[in-house]
Amino acid sequence: MGTLAAALITQVASGVRERRQWRWQREQELLRWRHEREQEEGRWEREKAERQEQWEREDIARSRQERLASYSELLQQLDSFRSAISSRLPVDGSGPKKIDAAWRSEVMTLANALELTRAKVRLFASVETDKACGEVFVRVRRCWASFSGGMLDRQERIDVLRSDLWNLGALSAELLKAIRWELGLDVAQ
């Protein structure tokens, strides 16, 4: 009887010990799983933050590239506009008496392209650059009005057009300074 009781007590004690050990192992596995999950979530959050930073850097670079392209296009078109008008005007003295259709069409096409580019530039421009651009476009419209009058038969009309073109060149230089400052290419304005 004593042996049987000892065997029974040993079995019960062994079962209790195994259940405790099994629970402890299960708790340890659960803790390990939670720890691994927390590490994985932390890694995922870091990777997500890194991807977000990379996308933001790429957006900034793409925006800067689009801004550079727009500004470059605007400046090139301004030069083309001025050159298209001034190329057939002599430096001094009288100019052509009448503007032919091809010349008018060329200048009008350049003026329209300038307006479209100006609209694109306004999306990117700072307040200072937009103000300088606005001043340039007032002069562009003035040049166009002087030019599109049709007749350059009087010396005073030609002189006004030359003056407007010269002022457009000066304002274009100011616009270039504003653009360079905005882009961080010139430290002092």
Side-chain angles (χ1 to χ4, degrees), residues 59-60 62-71 117-130 182-183:
D59 284 347
I60 290 169
R62 191 173 21 262
S63 175
R64 182 175 171 83
Q65 190 63 33
E66 288 175 11
R67 179 182 289 172
L68 283 170
S70 296
Y71 287 158
T117 304
R118 162 105 161 97
K120 188 176 7 174
V121 164
R122 291 194 86 180
L123 295 172
F124 300 109
S126 68
V127 174
E128 294 81 15
T129 302
D130 190 46
E182 179 182 332
L183 295 174

Side-chain angles (χ1 to χ4, degrees), residues 124-144:
F124 300 109
S126 68
V127 174
E128 294 81 15
T129 302
D130 190 46
K131 181 180 174 190
C133 196
E135 291 171 2
V136 164
F137 271 82
V138 166
R139 192 57 61 169
V140 164
R141 287 184 191 102
R142 226 176 126 164
C143 286
W144 171 246

Side-chain angles (χ1 to χ4, degrees), residues 164-182:
D164 286 340
L165 288 171
W166 188 87
N167 288 332
L168 178 59
L171 289 171
S172 294
E174 289 300 315
L175 175 61
L176 177 60
K177 283 182 188 177
I179 288 171
R180 289 181 59 82
W181 183 81
E182 179 182 332

Side-chain angles (χ1 to χ4, degrees), residues 10-40:
T10 303
Q11 286 295 332
V12 170
S14 177
V16 169
R17 191 176 348 106
E18 286 179 10
R19 274 193 301 268
R20 277 189 205 149
Q21 188 175 9
W22 180 80
R23 278 189 211 139
W24 182 80
Q25 286 175 347
R26 183 142 164 83
E27 287 174 2
Q28 292 301 312
E29 287 176 12
L30 188 59
L31 288 173
R32 236 185 338 269
W33 178 79
R34 285 182 186 159
H35 181 68
E36 288 173 2
R37 188 181 75 197
E38 288 171 359
Q39 284 182 333
E40 189 62 32

